[in-house]
Amino acid sequence: MKKPVQAMLAAVGALMVAAPALAADVPVLNVGWTIPAEEAKYLMMKRPEMFPDLGKKYAIKWIQFQGTSPMAQALRANVTDCSTMAPVPLALGFIESGLKAYIVAQHVYEKKGNFTVYWAVKKDSPIKSAADLKGKVLGVNTYGSGTYFNLVLWLQKNGIDTKKDVKFVEVGFPPMADAIRSGRVDLGTMNQPFALLSQEKGDLRELASQTEVQTPQVQIFESCSKKYTDAHPEVVKDYVRDLQRAMEIVQTNRKLAVAVSSEVTRAPVALLDKYLLTDKDFARDEDMKPNLDSIQKTWDLYYKAGFLSRPLKIDDFVRKDIIAPIK
């Protein structure tokens, strides 16, 4: 049997996006990415000609992953130099395997007034509050994900013993709504664009959202390995500058953002156009400045709840001269 890191390397090898032939003196940055909510990266990937430094001062080898947890492993194994990351995988990677990385930019976050992940039940369900969930089956996208931990926190906040009163089952985001409709789960975790589709159908009802746990809450950010960044600070600075430029472009040219996202995700333009970069979508800031206070609060909440075995300090994940916005 392959060791975990070896298996992970084999899995990602087929997902690498081939880079064009480059001069030997152009440094190559290995960057992990996933779907959804990474429009800045999608633009750099599909429209590299819009970024003068890309291909001249540095190049990118794009490597796709299925989520932020395997990206934390890849960053620790030096398979990637920079990757999309979420608060929990970065924290667990640091605690469990000594992952050392800097938070350099922010992709999306949740706040009131924008879309936030929520928990839904059937429209005609007798479930009206957390108390009504005792003895019920709850659908989560992945055990150990941020949305899983937030659901646990919300339940505990409302007096539910998450080890005795409820049962969790894994259901991917795409089939989540059908799992609720069929009765496979009594409550499910809803994310875009699947939330939008279920809302249009009108047979599900929101029970609560992650804003009841924490708001604002950072969903995903960009993280680069400490080893690589300290050895190649100018490369990482160039990359962060281009990410900022890409974020500014997609926010000012929504039509382009929708088109590029469709190319990458293969989701229909008509579907993406209904929510992408609107108040029905996650929040984004043009300068990509990470909300470090929010990430610290998430870690504090998770430590207090026992999800993390030790407290963390956000300053250990910051290099002040390499963090958005970089001029």
Side-chain angles (χ1 to χ4, degrees):
M1 182 179 293
K2 294 181 179 178
K3 295 180 179 179
V5 171
Q6 292 175 322
M8 181 270 295
L9 295 178
V12 302
L15 297 175
M16 291 186 180
V17 179
L22 297 164
D25 59 345
V26 176
V28 176
L29 191 68
N30 296 303
V31 177
W33 65 282
T34 190
I35 294 172
E38 297 184 23
E39 285 71 33
K41 287 187 174 180
Y42 306 157
L43 184 64
M44 293 175 66
M45 195 183 305
K46 292 297 184 178
R47 303 290 189 276
E49 68 278 3
M50 299 180 73
F51 305 90
D53 291 338
L54 188 54
K56 296 179 181 178
K57 295 178 67 175
Y58 77 106
I60 295 177
K61 178 179 286 185
W62 300 101
I63 310 174
Q64 185 180 8
F65 293 84
Q66 299 306 310
T68 54
S69 292
M71 278 194 269
Q73 298 175 35
L75 204 60
R76 176 68 179 85
N78 298 316
V79 173
T80 58
D81 306 307
C82 297
S83 282
T84 311
M85 197 56 54
V88 174
L90 180 60
L92 292 177
F94 178 79
I95 293 170
E96 296 175 356
S97 64
L99 170 61
K100 294 182 180 180
Y102 295 125
I103 298 168
V104 298
Q106 181 170 292
H107 292 287
V108 300
Y109 62 101
E110 296 186 16
K111 68 173 183 177
K112 292 182 179 179
N114 279 80
F115 176 79
T116 180
V117 172
Y118 64 88
W119 303 296
V121 297
K122 288 182 182 178
K123 186 176 182 179
D124 60 356
S125 169
I127 299 171
K128 305 296 183 182
S129 69
D132 298 327
L133 291 171
K134 287 187 177 181
K136 305 299 184 182
V137 178
L138 316 182
V140 295
N141 64 311
T142 307
Y143 299 127
S145 66
T147 54
Y148 164 80
F149 286 131
N150 283 329
L151 177 55
V152 171
L153 285 173
W154 178 73
L155 291 167
Q156 292 176 345
K157 179 182 177 181
N158 286 278
I160 299 295
D161 186 327
T162 53
K163 294 183 179 179
K164 297 180 180 179
D165 293 340
V166 295
K167 178 182 178 181
F168 297 99
V169 297
E170 285 189 335
V171 182
F173 284 131
M176 190 72 72
D178 284 340
I180 302 171
R181 295 183 185 106
S182 68
R184 179 185 171 193
V185 299
D186 300 290
L187 173 144
T189 306
M190 302 302 298
N191 203 345
Q192 292 290 43
F194 315 107
L196 176 65
L197 295 174
S198 70
Q199 289 165 357
E200 290 182 342
K201 196 167 185 178
D203 56 350
L204 302 184
R205 168 170 51 84
E206 179 179 334
L207 183 66
S209 78
Q210 293 194 145
T211 58
E212 295 188 36
V213 176
Q214 180 187 347
T215 186
Q217 184 175 48
V218 177
Q219 271 279 343
I220 53 174
F221 49 84
E222 193 69 8
S223 191
C224 297
S225 79
K226 184 178 185 298
K227 180 180 178 181
Y228 184 91
T229 303
D230 289 346
H232 309 280
E234 294 306 316
V235 175
V236 177
K237 285 181 181 179
D238 288 337
Y239 172 56
V240 175
R241 287 191 192 98
D242 280 344
L243 276 176
Q244 293 169 202
R245 173 173 169 76
M247 181 64 82
E248 181 179 356
I249 291 172
V250 298
Q251 295 219 56
T252 56
N253 190 340
R254 184 170 174 273
K255 184 177 180 180
L256 175 61
V258 169
V260 169
S261 294
S262 179
E263 291 175 28
V264 173
T265 66
R266 299 183 182 179
V269 167
L271 173 61
L272 293 172
D273 194 43
K274 291 180 179 181
Y275 76 93
L276 192 69
L277 295 163
T278 72
D279 58 6
K280 296 179 181 179
D281 198 1
F282 294 113
R284 296 164 177 79
D285 291 334
E286 282 189 10
D287 64 3
M288 300 190 80
K289 181 179 180 180
N291 189 333
L292 301 178
D293 290 340
S294 175
I295 297 171
Q296 180 69 70
K297 183 178 180 181
T298 298
W299 288 344
D300 292 344
L301 285 170
Y302 287 10
Y303 171 66
K304 184 177 180 181
F307 305 149
L308 301 178
S309 61
R310 54 174 288 193
L312 299 178
K313 294 182 179 180
I314 196 70
D315 288 347
D316 293 334
F317 301 84
V318 173
R319 178 169 161 168
K320 293 182 179 180
D321 63 324
I322 306 181
I323 187 168
I326 296 178
K327 303 300 182 182

